[in-house]
Amino acid sequence: MKNKKIALILNIILVISEIIGLIWSSILDKVDLIYYTNLSNIFALIVGVLFVVFYKKNNDLIKDLRFMSTSCLTVTFLVVLFILSPMYQFNYKLLMFTNVFFIFHTLCPILSIVSYILFEERSSKVYLGFIFTLLYGIILLILNCFNVVSGPYPFLKVHNQSVLVTIIWSVLIIGGSYLISLLLNVLNKKLKRS
C-alpha cells in the first residue's frame, strides 16, 4: 500500500477518534477551550478532515497544517508524559490511559506522529511547528497576569511562582516545542527514506 493511502487511513482513524473524544468529553463535563490539550485536539480534528477531503491533491497548505497539528499533539503527549504526570504523583494510568485522556493524550498524538513521520510529505516550514504553542503560551500568560484565568496548568500560574520560574517554564515549553518540530521533520526525512 502506498504511503499516501496509509496516511489517509491513519487520518480517518484520527478524525473518528477525535470526534469520539469530543463527544465523550462533552458528555463527561464540557470541552473547555482554555486547555491546550482540547485546542490542539480540535485543531487536529479540523486538519485531519481537510487532509481526508483533499488527500488526492498535493496541497502545501494541508501539508503545513498537518505538520502544525502533529507538533501540537506531540507537545500534548510529551507534556503529559514528562511534566503533568510527574506533577500528579506519576499517575500515568489516569492521565494517559483513562477515559477521554487516553484519546486526547495518547491515541491521537501517536496516530498523528506515526502518520506524519512515516507516511506524509514533510513541511519545509519548521517555524510553523511551534507557532500554535507560542501563541497559546503568550495569551495564557497574559490572562494569568491579569487574573482573568488561573492556569489551567500549574506552570502557567504566574501568581503562584516567581518570575524566574515562569521564564524558565516558558523557555522550556516554547523551546521544547521548537525542538519537537525539528525532530519531527528529521524523523520524517530519515524514516521515510529507509
Side-chain angles (χ1 to χ4, degrees):
M1 193 180 297
K2 290 188 177 178
N3 283 351
K4 207 164 185 181
K5 286 189 177 177
I6 297 172
L8 173 65
I9 292 166
L10 289 172
N11 274 272
I12 289 170
I13 296 169
L14 175 69
V15 166
I16 293 167
S17 300
E18 293 287 11
I19 291 169
I20 291 168
L22 286 171
I23 292 169
W24 196 352
S25 188
S26 299
I27 291 169
L28 289 176
D29 187 19
K30 63 178 182 174
V31 180
D32 197 339
L33 297 180
I34 197 168
Y35 287 97
Y36 182 91
T37 295
N38 292 340
L39 291 171
S40 65
N41 277 277
I42 290 168
F43 181 45
L45 168 61
I46 294 166
V47 173
V49 168
L50 291 173
F51 183 91
V52 169
V53 170
F54 298 107
Y55 102 98
K56 285 191 175 182
K57 298 181 179 179
N58 193 8
N59 188 316
D60 283 343
L61 177 60
I62 303 295
K63 180 170 46 177
D64 293 341
L65 288 172
R66 275 290 301 134
F67 172 57
M68 287 177 71
S69 68
T70 300
S71 296
C72 292
L73 290 181
T74 306
V75 169
T76 295
F77 178 77
L78 293 176
V79 165
V80 171
L81 186 66
F82 293 114
I83 298 173
L84 294 180
S85 291
M87 281 183 167
Y88 292 98
Q89 290 83 42
F90 296 91
N91 197 344
Y92 291 102
K93 182 180 177 187
L94 171 67
L95 292 177
M96 299 191 79
F97 301 104
T98 304
N99 300 328
V100 76
F101 289 151
F102 170 70
I103 294 172
F104 284 167
H105 292 166
T106 308
L107 177 64
C108 290
I110 289 172
L111 284 170
S112 192
I113 293 165
V114 168
S115 182
Y116 182 77
I117 65 173
L118 294 178
F119 305 110
E120 295 179 31
E121 293 299 315
R122 184 174 62 258
S123 170
S124 59
K125 301 172 184 126
V126 176
Y127 65 89
L128 289 176
F130 77 103
I131 294 292
F132 188 97
T133 306
L134 178 65
L135 292 174
Y136 176 85
I138 290 170
I139 291 167
L140 262 294
L141 284 172
I142 291 169
L143 292 176
N144 271 272
C145 284
F146 290 103
N147 289 314
V148 177
V149 298
S150 178
Y153 302 104
F155 46 83
L156 287 171
K157 295 184 178 185
V158 297
H159 297 291
N160 296 352
Q161 60 196 17
S162 69
V163 173
L164 179 61
V165 169
T166 300
I167 291 169
I168 290 169
W169 274 119
S170 300
V171 169
L172 281 173
I173 301 289
I174 303 303
S177 178
Y178 181 72
L179 292 174
I180 286 165
S181 302
L182 286 173
L183 182 61
L184 286 170
N185 270 358
V186 167
L187 290 172
N188 177 290
K189 185 176 182 180
K190 292 197 180 226
L191 294 175
K192 274 188 73 184
R193 183 180 294 163
S194 61

